[in-house]
Amino acid sequence: MVSYKCLNSEDVHFSSAEMSEESSPVQEQVTLVETEEASLLPSRLPCSVTTGLLMIGCLLLLLCGGWLLGTMFWLHSPSNQVPYRPPPPAPAPTPDSPLQRNHCVSGPRHDACSVIPEEWRFDCYPQGVVTRESCEARGCCFVPVSIHPSGKNGIPWCFYPRNFPSYSLKSLNGTSLGQKGSLVREVKTYYPGDILNLEVDIRLETDTRLHVRITDPMNARFEVPISVPSATEKAKDPAYTVEVSEEPFGLIVKRSSTGAVLLNTTVAPLFYADQFLQFSTSLSSQFIYGLGEHRSTFLHDINWNTLTLWARDVPPMEHTNLYGAHPFYMAMEENGTAHGFFLLNSNAMDVVLQPSPALTWRTVGGILDFYVFLGPDPGSVVEQYMEVIGYPAMPIYWALGYHLCRWGFNSSDSTWEVVKSMRNYGIPQDVQWNDIDYMDRFLDFTFDPTNFATLPDVVKDLHAHYQRYVMILDPGISSTQPEGSYWPYDEGLKRGVFIKDANGNTLIGKVWPGLTAYPDFSDNVTHEWWYENLKNFYEKVPFDGLWIDMNEPSNFLDGSTVGCPDSSLESPPYTPGVLGGTLRAKTLCATAQQKQSLHYNMHSLYGLMEAKASASALKRILAKRPFVISRSTFPSQGQFSGHWLGDNRSQWKDLYTSLAGVLTFNLLGIPLVGADICGFGEETQEELCVRWTQVGAFYPFARNHNALGMMPQDPTAFSLPARTAMKQVLLLRYSLFPLLYTLFHHAHVHGHTVARPLMFEFPKDVKTYGIDKQFLWGKSLLVTPVLDAGVIYLDGYFPKGVWYDYYTGDAIRSAGEVLNLHAPLDKINLHLREGSVTPTQTPNQTLWVSSGQPLHLVSALSDDGSACGDLFWDDGESLATYETNQYAYIVFSVAQRVMTSQVLRNHVEATYITVDSVTFYGVKQEPSRVLVNSHDAVFTYRENQVLTVENLGLNLSQNFTISWM
């Protein structure tokens, strides 16, 4: 393991250590790495004193020449120990010498700094402009680097030497779950409020989950208030070993089966001050995913890439902290294995990726509370992460239909006209939305009595046509209405539900209605007040779901109408790279007071807590599965809401980046996710909107939405060819509802992804690791969309195996290669993976109607003639149908020219559905006879090896067989 030595400008004594590479795990799978102590350098004067003496010596050279020469000779005297080698460019650098104890002086020797490779530099001065003097005052190495030819240069000039002081492990004792130890720092850092004594709790919670907590044993610190599982016994056969470096303290987590290093915190010093916590780790490879919310490729760039987490209202753009904060990453290892890491911390933070490869966590509060998930495959990593943060909710059935919205419906009648136009053209639509236009002066829980007077009638008409209505709500509550005229504010003030400023007064910001107060959703009293407001409004307008926006929370001001106090909370010693440069930028003061803690700690939890309150209220009002879409998100939010990717633009680039966003949020446990189809800001173009509708038809959450002042972009607004192409692909989505609904069931029960990266299904194929222009629904439906203008042919990668054209059944036998596909404007390329059975349904204009239509099964056979698939079916809207066994579950399998339907759980809902037809792709010889439940049946066989059996009329609730010979 790499050891580091550290130096500070203060006159202090410290020690450091290395860990032996040959350490072996003990019975508890936690190894304490033994070390030896030896003097590395002679004792020297403190840094600040030495620097001063040198300056005086230069000024008084003639008088003190002899003294100066002696001092120089002393400073350059050789060490009596072999110097440390630099960490090699590998996931787990190793040392070549035992523990060294050092009594240090000023800045590190130049040769000790120059041997550290650029890619292994850990930034000692991450904020502000660094100079040699300011760097060396921190006891760090200062070695400038030239600008790379590309002009991009993120290599730190100021970085930690290997002997920078850190914590040492003073004791380590066994516990029922693992080990617990005490850590001591003898050297203060350059940040105020060092916590010199810490406790580390190493918990082997399951065979595939390690949990580590580093806390202040003397004082309680803020901890993220979400529920996590509590292990009761230690893992019996963990897939990992834990090695503990004694001095300096560090953890090394390895995969038992391969020895791969998954976590190695010995590569850089540990910081644990009141407002600055930092640790680093080597990475197993350059393949890193997650760490939302950012606009980027699905596979993160590790070339000195800093990702800031702090919820912010800003249209998606690169290198910017966006709406949500998700401190979770998944990393690939060699041979296709994968692991995950989750830091349970909600404070503002930077996550720094560097090409060593390595990663640094840098946060301004809370504790270090983290998990390592062993996988070993990508899907298992996500499942294990869901076990900790909570499984996604099962959506109500109509959530998976087509949603239509815009900012700029100037009346309820204009909203109604679009709905009627969609019906007239026979274009599927399940849900109509309204943006803030519907409100009376942008006041929550009101509707415009003039322009939206017919809104209750619109909603009634939607319900009569089996359609639904969703409205927007912002958290900001107007504080300027005449007393007694606006119940939400008056009652909220009376109950004390609003966030307070540092002086205990209601904090006032500004959003759409003007001056506003912000509900404190960390308080259960606020949840009840929120429910009562929704219930009162529901009695006027019987809405079906909620769109909660502006909940970062957003503020048109920085902090409040009276600013924010001058304090370390508002201006911490270190401020992560947040947009605006301060924590209060376009949000609330960090010093604002909430029920559970300061806004400094709670800020990025605001959207989660509002979503939780909203979902709870909808359950009480509707007694059905709640539908909530939120802009701001945090881990565990999939239990309460979905997410849309924010205020994108009508540009081809935004269409492309939306795929990475959708795939990332499936990793993060929020599978009900999508982007604004056709783009929100700017004018869309017809070709772009057609292509975007084709992609959006395969977003798990599909909504068309655009901005105020933009031309209409609903499907009826375009030419006949464009409108027809959009209609066809939306009908295609509706025909695949049985598949999509079943995928959400598996997400809810098992933590599976819905929109799935190719690398999840093909983790041993490195070519899939960076693919984010294609994706899968589940394990078998491959989507290859057009993402560029003027394209009618495109390349798509097909992993090794047999793939079938979804529309024709034509087979593609791929060796793992890129193939060129025809993609006219009215087509999105879909392919089925061999070995799958896909349930489909005759589509209609609403899911209520189409979900009652007969099923058509599509079997894509493997070379050996096998295939399998399943179907989850219930009433589509009742709460907890899986948990209460109110559902049907059917498994379809094909082997040796026989398809079998096996009803593993029956329910009355299955009796309403029939299987009308089955198609088999890849039947190599034309059958002479087809039997359905041992009776002859009529069939067709095409030259491309497609067998179809129709007019079956088989009840879904009963087992059946179809065979051919």
Side-chain angles (χ1 to χ4, degrees):
M1 292 302 129
V2 168
S3 177
Y4 47 82
K5 293 286 183 190
C6 170
L7 189 56
N8 198 284
S9 58
E10 300 184 45
D11 182 15
V12 290
H13 170 277
F14 61 88
S15 59
S16 60
E18 279 189 315
M19 193 170 65
S20 169
E21 192 178 31
E22 300 301 323
S23 300
S24 59
V26 296
Q27 184 176 0
E28 298 89 345
Q29 301 298 309
V30 178
T31 301
L32 178 62
V33 180
E34 301 295 341
T35 58
E36 298 177 1
E37 297 186 8
S39 174
L40 176 65
L41 292 175
S43 178
R44 301 180 180 180
L45 295 175
C47 303
S48 57
V49 175
T50 301
T51 303
L53 290 176
L54 289 175
M55 292 177 64
I56 293 171
C58 291
L59 294 173
L60 304 175
L61 180 61
L62 294 177
L63 298 176
C64 305
W67 176 84
L68 179 60
L69 289 172
T71 302
M72 291 176 64
F73 176 79
W74 172 64
L75 287 172
H76 289 85
S77 62
S79 170
N80 61 351
Q81 297 291 334
V82 177
Y84 282 85
R85 294 178 183 175
T94 59
D96 66 348
S97 61
L99 168 67
Q100 310 292 334
R101 185 168 296 278
N102 183 11
H103 301 277
C104 297
V105 71
S106 60
R109 288 172 44 160
H110 178 74
D111 57 353
C113 297
S114 61
V115 296
I116 298 177
E118 290 181 349
E119 65 269 23
W120 281 103
R121 294 183 179 185
F122 291 90
D123 199 348
C124 176
Y125 212 102
Q127 188 173 33
V129 178
V130 64
T131 64
R132 180 179 297 276
E133 290 74 17
S134 59
C135 176
E136 293 183 350
R138 292 186 171 189
C140 291
C141 297
F142 185 81
V143 182
V145 293
S146 59
I147 302 296
H148 290 179
S150 65
K152 180 180 180 181
N153 180 27
I155 301 171
W157 289 19
C158 181
F159 53 96
Y160 300 111
R162 299 226 186 99
N163 57 355
F164 197 92
S166 186
Y167 289 85
S168 58
L169 180 69
K170 294 304 182 182
S171 66
L172 188 66
N173 300 303
T175 69
S176 61
L177 294 177
Q179 300 277 324
K180 185 175 290 188
S182 60
L183 309 179
V184 175
R185 172 181 276 280
E186 297 178 358
V187 179
K188 291 185 178 180
T189 71
Y190 44 83
Y191 284 107
D194 279 304
I195 300 172
L196 300 179
N197 296 280
L198 299 174
E199 182 176 84
V200 57
D201 189 358
I202 303 168
R203 303 174 181 176
L204 287 66
E205 293 192 336
T206 74
D207 288 346
T208 56
R209 184 176 80 226
L210 171 68
H211 184 192
V212 177
R213 288 168 50 86
I214 303 177
T215 58
D216 180 353
M218 303 302 294
N219 299 288
R221 293 176 59 81
F222 176 76
E223 298 187 29
V224 179
I226 67 172
S227 297
V228 295
S230 179
T232 57
E233 60 180 3
K234 185 168 56 180
K236 291 182 172 58
D237 187 22
Y240 50 88
T241 62
V242 182
E243 299 172 359
V244 184
S245 175
E246 198 174 349
E247 188 174 357
F249 167 74
L251 296 175
I252 303 91
V253 180
K254 296 180 180 180
R255 185 179 297 280
S256 300
S257 60
T258 64
V261 176
L262 313 184
L263 184 75
N264 174 11
T265 69
T266 69
V267 296
L270 168 65
F271 283 72
Y272 208 117
D274 186 39
Q275 292 183 267
F276 186 84
L277 293 79
Q278 176 179 283
F279 69 101
S280 302
T281 177
S282 62
L283 294 171
S284 58
S285 76
Q286 71 269 35
F287 301 111
I288 304 298
Y289 310 85
L291 297 173
E293 182 174 8
H294 298 91
R295 173 165 150 155
S296 67
T297 53
F298 176 57
L299 172 64
H300 281 300
D301 177 10
I302 64 165
N303 188 30
W304 304 108
N305 183 16
T306 297
L307 303 169
T308 301
L309 305 184
W310 181 250
R312 179 61 149 84
D313 172 7
V314 60
M317 61 183 72
E318 286 80 1
H319 310 297
T320 304
N321 52 300
L322 299 182
Y323 310 107
H326 293 265
F328 166 84
Y329 70 79
M330 186 188 75
M332 295 302 296
E333 306 159 36
E334 293 183 0
N335 303 318
T337 52
H339 68 272
F341 184 97
F342 173 44
L343 176 62
L344 182 52
N345 184 291
S346 60
N347 289 90
M349 72 176 71
D350 282 336
V351 185
V352 184
L353 297 168
Q354 62 189 72
S356 339
L359 178 149
T360 296
W361 297 95
R362 192 180 294 139
T363 183
V364 300
I367 66 171
L368 297 182
D369 185 359
F370 58 83
Y371 295 82
V372 181
F373 306 104
L374 271 287
D377 58 90
S380 297
V381 170
V382 174
E383 292 173 29
Q384 292 153 18
Y385 179 44
M386 296 305 102
E387 289 176 2
V388 170
I389 66 170
Y391 294 101
M394 184 66 187
I396 196 165
Y397 76 93
W398 51 260
L400 307 185
Y402 182 61
H403 302 242
L404 191 56
C405 185
R406 73 156 299 151
W407 182 19
F409 282 127
N410 55 20
S411 68
S412 50
D413 288 342
S414 65
T415 306
W416 207 347
E417 288 304 315
V418 171
V419 173
K420 293 176 180 177
S421 182
M422 291 283 286
R423 292 175 189 161
N424 291 338
Y425 283 114
I427 301 174
Q429 181 192 1
D430 262 78
V431 193
Q432 181 61 49
W433 297 43
N434 272 130
D435 207 317
I436 57 175
D437 317 277
Y438 81 93
M439 297 179 183
D440 181 13
R441 295 164 292 152
F442 304 133
L443 302 177
D444 277 355
F445 311 112
T446 70
F447 66 95
D448 186 332
T450 302
N451 296 324
F452 280 80
T454 60
L455 183 58
D457 296 324
V458 172
V459 175
K460 183 178 180 181
D461 177 71
L462 288 168
H463 291 167
H465 289 83
Y466 307 109
Q467 294 173 300
R468 307 299 164 193
Y469 179 72
V470 170
M471 64 185 188
I472 192 172
L473 278 179
D474 295 337
I477 301 296
S478 174
S479 62
T480 58
Q481 304 308 305
E483 185 176 354
S485 67
Y486 186 45
W487 193 86
Y489 180 72
D490 293 337
E491 188 65 18
L493 203 61
K494 177 181 176 182
R495 300 189 193 184
V497 306
F498 299 119
I499 293 175
K500 307 293 192 299
D501 65 18
N503 295 320
N505 302 313
T506 298
L507 184 145
I508 302 298
K510 184 179 181 181
V511 281
W512 297 115
L515 300 182
T516 53
Y518 293 82
D520 177 7
F521 289 105
S522 73
D523 189 346
N524 288 334
V525 173
T526 307
H527 286 218
E528 187 66 21
W529 165 88
W530 190 247
Y531 157 72
E532 290 179 25
N533 277 287
L534 287 168
K535 183 175 180 293
N536 292 339
F537 188 73
Y538 180 82
E539 293 172 356
K540 303 171 185 175
V541 180
F543 56 87
D544 300 283
L546 291 178
W547 168 21
I548 51 176
D549 192 9
M550 305 286 285
N551 56 350
E552 291 72 32
S554 179
N555 187 356
F556 295 166
L557 308 174
D558 290 343
S560 76
T561 54
V562 295
C564 303
D566 183 10
S567 76
S568 63
L569 292 173
E570 300 295 342
S571 301
Y574 176 81
T575 300
V578 297
L579 180 65
T582 65
L583 299 183
R584 63 181 174 272
K586 297 300 177 282
T587 188
L588 311 185
C589 297
T591 48
Q593 301 179 56
Q594 297 187 233
K595 175 72 172 181
Q596 295 189 23
S597 187
L598 296 170
H599 196 69
Y600 182 87
N601 298 317
M602 302 289 293
H603 170 81
S604 291
L605 298 169
Y606 195 87
L608 165 64
M609 292 185 167
E610 185 189 16
K612 188 175 183 179
S614 299
S616 174
L618 288 180
K619 286 181 181 179
R620 294 171 66 183
I621 294 169
L622 301 172
K624 296 177 182 178
R625 297 174 205 166
F627 176 81
V628 180
I629 294 292
S630 174
R631 191 168 71 178
S632 187
T633 59
F634 191 81
S636 79
Q637 193 152 337
Q639 299 178 81
F640 311 109
S641 82
H643 173 60
W644 99 103
L645 296 174
D647 297 338
N648 60 6
R649 299 172 181 84
S650 298
Q651 298 179 359
W652 289 94
K653 182 178 182 179
D654 289 67
L655 170 58
Y656 161 58
T657 57
S658 73
L659 296 187
V662 167
L663 295 177
T664 295
F665 270 93
N666 271 264
L667 247 70
L668 300 176
I670 307 179
L672 188 63
V673 60
D676 284 342
I677 295 172
C678 300
F680 174 73
E682 305 179 9
E683 296 286 4
T684 196
Q685 303 298 317
E686 184 168 272
E687 181 191 5
L688 173 61
C689 200
V690 170
R691 292 304 193 188
W692 209 323
T693 303
Q694 290 170 346
V695 174
F698 291 90
Y699 291 156
F701 166 60
R703 183 187 70 163
N704 181 317
H705 179 50
N706 66 332
L708 185 69
M710 301 297 108
M711 295 294 291
Q713 63 183 35
D714 64 89
T716 69
F718 297 99
S719 68
L720 176 61
R723 186 171 66 242
T724 301
M726 294 181 193
K727 176 181 177 179
Q728 288 174 347
V729 78
L730 292 175
L731 287 170
L732 176 59
R733 176 187 177 88
Y734 276 48
S735 72
L736 289 164
F737 170 74
L739 169 64
L740 184 58
Y741 195 67
T742 300
L743 291 176
F744 268 99
H745 161 71
H746 289 302
H748 171 58
V749 175
H750 306 294
H752 292 180
T753 53
V754 174
R756 188 169 302 171
L758 272 70
M759 47 94 69
F760 268 55
E761 291 297 319
F762 303 93
K764 296 185 182 299
D765 185 350
V766 179
K767 295 176 184 178
T768 65
Y769 286 11
I771 292 177
D772 57 9
K773 293 186 176 181
Q774 297 170 271
F775 60 96
L776 295 157
W777 264 15
K779 66 179 182 179
S780 58
L781 181 63
L782 176 61
V783 184
T784 308
V786 171
L787 303 173
D788 298 291
V791 170
I792 59 172
Y793 284 91
L794 81 159
D795 290 337
Y797 181 73
F798 287 79
K800 185 178 180 180
V802 179
W803 298 85
Y804 297 93
D805 184 301
Y806 177 79
Y807 306 103
T808 67
D810 292 343
I812 296 173
R813 189 174 298 274
S814 175
E817 55 197 301
V818 174
L819 301 175
N820 192 251
L821 307 173
H822 187 213
L825 188 61
D826 62 351
K827 179 183 180 181
I828 182 170
N829 275 276
L830 301 178
H831 291 83
L832 287 174
R833 181 182 179 185
E834 62 174 315
S836 62
V837 177
T838 302
T840 72
Q841 212 161 23
T842 304
N844 209 289
Q845 285 184 250
T846 67
L847 286 177
W848 176 260
V849 177
S850 64
S851 63
Q853 301 303 306
L855 292 175
H856 173 64
L857 306 179
V858 183
S859 300
L861 303 182
S862 298
D863 271 341
D864 63 2
S866 64
C868 62
D870 61 349
L871 176 66
F872 174 85
W873 209 249
D874 61 10
D875 67 8
E877 59 185 12
S878 293
L879 295 165
T881 57
Y882 174 77
E883 292 76 8
T884 59
N885 296 321
Q886 299 300 309
Y887 67 94
Y889 184 68
I890 300 96
V891 172
F892 308 104
S893 59
V894 184
Q896 298 179 340
R897 293 177 292 182
V898 178
M899 167 177 263
T900 302
S901 167
Q902 185 177 9
V903 181
L904 298 185
R905 176 171 292 280
N906 216 335
H907 188 263
V908 65
E909 291 292 333
T911 66
Y912 306 144
I913 306 298
T914 60
V915 177
D916 188 61
S917 59
V918 179
T919 295
F920 300 90
Y921 293 164
V923 178
K924 297 177 181 179
Q925 294 182 341
E926 181 175 1
S928 60
R929 188 180 182 191
V930 172
L931 300 177
V932 178
N933 289 334
S934 302
H935 298 287
D936 284 298
V938 177
F939 65 93
T940 60
Y941 182 82
R942 300 201 302 268
E943 292 182 355
N944 62 346
Q945 300 184 343
V946 174
L947 169 66
T948 301
V949 187
E950 298 181 310
N951 301 317
L952 296 174
L954 299 170
N955 196 289
L956 182 63
S957 65
Q958 299 175 359
N959 297 339
F960 64 80
T961 60
I962 301 174
S963 59
W964 63 93
M965 57 192 73

